[in-house]
Structures are given as C-alpha cells and as structure tokens.
C-alpha cells in the first residue's frame, strides 16, 4: 500500500536520486531508519526501478534532438524482431515508441549534429525494410522530464 509519504519520497527521488537519506527523512517527517525501510520497500515492489545520473547532453556533445517517423508495410513478428535488433545497436536512439494511427513507430535520437543522422538512417535501411521513413529536427525543447506523476499510484 502506497501512502502520501511514499509518494513524497518518490517525488523527491525523481527530482534528485542522490539526496541523502537523512535529508529525505527530514523532508518527509520520518526517522532515518523508517525512511530507509520505505525506500527499500519501494525498490522491492518495483516502484523504483533504478537510480541513474542524467548527463548534460550539450556538454556530452549531443545537443541535437531528432524524431524519426517510421511507417512499415510489414507487421510480422519476424519484421519486429529485425527492427528491435537494428535499433538496439544504435546508442543515439534513446526512445522508440510503437504508435496507433497512421504512424507505426517514432524514434527519438540524440546527435552531435544533424548530419550524423545520415549514418543512422543508412544503418537502419540496410537492416530493415520500411515503407516510409522521415525525420524532423527539434528546434527547441519546451519541456523535458524523467519524473512521472505519483498521484495515480494506489
């Protein structure tokens, strides 16, 4: 059972996973040991999947974001397996979503510059057959977060 303190712990950890347990306990009005037990339980129950560091993309030489829209004429398990294998080998592809509607897949890429997309494009079309593939460059990021709302957790 998740309560308001658990939600607050999750909210704080989503903002900064490196916050110390004593600071976190103080912010949610718990003892350090009680807070630590709650964090451990949230991890064991799968609410906290892992803790990661978010790298500053421009400092890492990856200031460009592109979205690739894919339509395929094939929807077989074999095609999907080929596609999964092709995208898994390309670290610049950071997200892939299967969609409803007229678009089959959207890929999010992080790149050092727009021209770097050509190599990724060539790699994909060499490994997988597509009906249509197009790309758009993000001009500006208006919102970007890794945090999810916790008020839906029952």
């Amino acid at each position: 059972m998740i309560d308001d303190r658990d939600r607050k712990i999750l909210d704080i950890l989503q903002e900064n996973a490196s916050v110390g347990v004593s600071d976190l306990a103080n912010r949610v009005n718990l003892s350090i040991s009680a807070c630590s037990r709650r964090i451990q339980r949230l991890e064991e129950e799968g609410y906290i999947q892992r803790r990661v560091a978010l790298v500053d993309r421009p400092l890492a030489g990856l200031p460009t974001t592109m979205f690739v829209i894919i339509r395929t004429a094939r929807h077989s398990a074999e095609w999907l397996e080929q596609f999964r294998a092709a995208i898994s080998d390309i670290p610049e592809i950071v997200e892939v979503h299967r969609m409803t509607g007229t678009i089959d897949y959207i890929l999010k890429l992080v790149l050092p510059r727009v021209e770097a997309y050509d190599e990724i494009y060539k790699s994909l079309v060499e490994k997988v057959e597509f009906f249509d593939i197009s790309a758009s460059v993000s001009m500006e990021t208006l919102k970007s977060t890794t945090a999810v709302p916790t008020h839906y957790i029952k």
Side-chain angles (χ1 to χ4, degrees), residues 37-53:
R37 283 192 302 272
R38 282 181 183 245
I39 293 168
Q40 183 177 2
R41 180 179 52 81
L42 290 167
E43 290 174 341
E44 289 170 356
E45 292 177 1
Y47 291 100
I48 299 172
Q49 292 181 344
R50 64 181 187 262
R51 300 185 201 193
V52 299

Side-chain angles (χ1 to χ4, degrees), residues 57-58 61-66 109-115 137-138:
R57 288 188 25 224
L62 297 164
T64 305
T65 303
M66 291 191 75
L109 283 67
V110 295
L111 302 164
R113 61 194 179 292
V114 172
E115 294 82 9
V137 178
S138 172

Side-chain angles (χ1 to χ4, degrees), residues 124-148:
L124 286 173
V125 298
E126 179 181 290
K127 297 174 183 174
V128 185
E129 180 183 340
F130 299 104
F131 176 74
D132 183 51
I133 184 168
S134 62
S136 296
V137 178
S138 172
M139 299 297 290
E140 178 183 13
T141 301
L142 301 176
K143 181 178 179 179
S144 177
T145 182
T146 58
V148 298

Side-chain angles (χ1 to χ4, degrees), residues 90-118:
I90 303 171
E92 293 85 355
I93 299 174
V94 295
E95 290 185 36
V96 178
H97 300 270
R98 187 168 58 89
M99 309 298 291
T100 62
T102 59
I103 296 169
D104 293 311
Y105 298 91
I106 293 180
L107 289 60
K108 179 181 177 182
L109 283 67
V110 295
L111 302 164
R113 61 194 179 292
V114 172
E115 294 82 9
Y117 170 66
D118 192 45

Side-chain angles (χ1 to χ4, degrees), residues 50-94:
R50 64 181 187 262
R51 300 185 201 193
V52 299
L54 300 177
V55 174
D56 183 284
R57 288 188 25 224
L59 286 177
L62 297 164
T64 305
T65 303
M66 291 191 75
F67 293 92
V68 177
I69 296 170
I70 292 176
R71 291 176 42 208
T72 180
R74 297 181 54 207
H75 297 276
S76 67
E78 177 187 336
W79 184 92
L80 183 56
E81 189 55 39
Q82 287 177 329
F83 182 58
R84 284 179 198 235
I87 60 176
S88 70
D89 292 337
I90 303 171
E92 293 85 355
I93 299 174
V94 295

